[in-house]
Amino acid sequence: MDAIHSGWFSEIQNDLWPGQSFSLKVKKILHEEKSKFQKIKILDTESYGRCLILDGIIQCTTRDEFAYQEMIAFLPLCCHPNPKKVLIVGGGDGGVSREVVKHPLVEEVYQVEIDDRVIELSKKYLPTMACGFNDKKLNLVVGDGFEYMRTNQRKFDVIITDSSDPIGPAISLFQEDYYKLMKNSLREGGIICSQGGSFWLDYTYIKKQMLNCSIHFPRVSYAVTSVPSYPCGQIGFVIGCLDKSSDFKDPVTKFSSSEIDAMNLKYYSSKIHSSAFTLPRWIEKNFYENENPI
C-alpha cells in the first residue's frame, strides 16, 4: 500500500518490510493507472528524479537506478566466458536490457515482460532507461516469462530475472520450480541471476531462495549492491551456475577503466564485482556456515 500526503509519497503497510516506511517528496504525479496486472504510478520527485512505482512499491528512480541495473546485468555476464545469448525476464522499464546490450560479447537478447503498459509508460516517462528497447540485439516479447521458458526451445548462456518483489504477478518467479525451468533453458555452463531482496529485511527468505537455487545449480552465491531508494538502501542477487568450478568473485571478463567509461558504466567495475560477494560476517555464517551449507 502507498499514500501521498502533504506532497510526500510513502511506502506504508507493506508486509515485506513491516514497521518501516520510505518517503519521497513529490513535485508532480506524472501518471497513474491500473493495468491488467498491477497498479502503476510514475512520479516526478524532488531529490530522486522520476520514480516508477508498482503496487505501491518503488521499482526504480532515475537518480540511482544504474546501481541496480548495471550489477544485475554485469555480475552474471562477466562471470560467463562467452555470454552470447541472454534472456531477461521482467525488466519492463528497459534498464536491464540497456546494460546487457553494452557487453561486447552479447550477440542476442530476448526479453519477456508480462505487462505491456509498464513498457509503454517507461518509453514515455523514463526514456533514459527505456532506450534499452531500441537496440538491434534485443527481441522484446510481451508475455509470461515462466510460460515462455516452459514452451520455448531456445537455450541461453545467461538468464537474468529482473522481477518486482514476491507479490502479485512476480510471485511465480521466486518458486523452486522456476529455478528448475531456468536450468532447463540454459546451455552448458549457463548462469542465472535473480533479484534477491535485502538481507536486512528477511535473510531467512533469501536463504530459502538460495537453497531452492542449489537444488538445480551446483554453484550458488549471493551478491549485493547499494540502492538508496530501496528499503534499507541495499538489495542483493541470487546467482547460480551450472559449472561447479565457477568462481563468482573473480570475473572471467575484466574491463579496463577506459572500457568502463566507453560503456558509460557508473557503478560496476571489476573491483566492485569482487567486493559484491563479500558479505557481513553474520550473513556469511547464516548463508554458508551451517549444517547444510550452500
Side-chain angles (χ1 to χ4, degrees):
M1 180 177 179
D2 68 90
I4 297 180
H5 292 300
S6 302
W8 287 80
F9 164 84
S10 299
E11 292 176 325
I12 57 175
Q13 296 181 21
N14 192 309
D15 293 338
L16 297 172
W17 40 88
Q20 69 179 62
S21 174
F22 181 72
S23 300
L24 291 172
K25 192 171 185 180
V26 178
K27 291 168 64 175
K28 185 178 181 181
I29 299 173
L30 298 174
H31 189 85
E32 286 184 285
E33 72 171 72
K34 175 72 168 67
S35 74
K36 291 184 292 184
F37 302 98
Q38 57 206 331
K39 294 179 181 178
I40 305 171
K41 187 177 293 184
I42 301 177
L43 307 176
D44 187 13
T45 70
E46 187 166 293
S47 56
Y48 278 78
R50 293 191 172 187
C51 176
L52 172 65
I53 299 160
L54 300 179
D55 284 336
I57 299 174
I58 294 172
Q59 304 301 307
C60 56
T61 77
T62 52
R63 176 180 176 179
D64 60 11
E65 51 86 11
F66 60 88
Y68 173 84
Q69 322 278 18
E70 291 180 15
M71 293 294 276
I72 198 173
F74 277 85
L75 287 175
L77 291 175
C78 290
C79 284
H80 195 289
N82 194 17
K84 289 184 177 181
K85 198 169 186 177
V86 180
L87 172 66
I88 302 169
V89 178
D93 53 58
V96 175
S97 55
R98 178 195 67 197
E99 300 305 324
V100 168
V101 297
K102 291 178 181 178
H103 195 289
L105 295 179
V106 171
E107 297 177 355
E108 195 173 12
V109 183
Y110 287 81
Q111 180 170 359
V112 185
E113 162 62 44
I114 197 169
D115 197 336
D116 63 321
R117 290 301 295 154
V118 173
I119 296 171
E120 295 308 313
L121 292 170
S122 295
K123 288 179 179 179
K124 181 175 181 179
Y125 294 106
L126 303 169
T128 58
M129 282 180 272
C131 62
F133 295 129
N134 300 326
D135 195 276
K136 62 182 180 180
K137 295 180 183 178
L138 184 74
N139 302 277
L140 182 60
V141 178
V142 175
D144 186 304
F146 197 103
E147 188 65 18
Y148 178 85
M149 279 189 283
R150 192 181 68 81
T151 58
N152 199 284
Q153 299 303 308
R154 292 187 180 92
K155 296 287 186 177
F156 301 93
D157 298 304
V158 174
I159 298 175
I160 298 170
T161 305
D162 177 24
S163 65
S164 53
D165 292 288
I167 57 175
I171 195 165
S172 65
L173 306 182
F174 292 84
Q175 309 300 319
E176 181 265 322
D177 54 352
Y178 181 65
Y179 290 101
K180 179 180 180 180
L181 198 58
M182 286 193 286
K183 176 186 178 181
N184 293 337
S185 298
L186 287 171
R187 292 171 173 168
E188 183 178 352
I191 294 178
I192 64 162
C193 183
S194 300
Q195 189 263 98
S198 170
F199 58 68
W200 290 110
L201 295 169
D202 192 351
Y203 72 84
T204 57
Y205 186 79
I206 298 170
K207 186 174 179 179
K208 178 182 177 183
Q209 295 308 310
M210 293 175 70
L211 287 170
N212 283 340
C213 186
S214 68
I215 294 171
H216 303 286
F217 291 85
R219 187 77 173 88
V220 178
S221 193
Y222 179 81
V224 296
T225 189
S226 174
V227 187
S229 61
Y230 288 167
C232 299
Q234 176 268 338
I235 198 167
F237 312 101
V238 174
I239 302 179
C241 185
L242 293 176
D243 181 359
K244 64 181 179 181
S245 66
S246 179
D247 182 0
F248 292 128
K249 285 188 177 182
D250 185 20
V252 176
T253 302
K254 296 181 175 70
F255 295 111
S256 66
S257 295
S258 60
E259 289 172 323
I260 291 286
D261 290 340
M263 288 186 285
N264 192 31
L265 299 180
K266 302 174 184 177
Y267 193 97
Y268 180 88
S269 69
S270 297
K271 289 182 179 180
I272 284 289
H273 180 120
S274 298
S275 66
F277 293 91
T278 302
L279 303 176
R281 185 65 183 140
W282 66 280
I283 288 298
E284 188 177 62
K285 291 175 71 174
N286 276 286
F287 282 3
Y288 302 111
E289 296 179 11
N290 51 60
E291 294 179 359
N292 298 295
I294 300 297

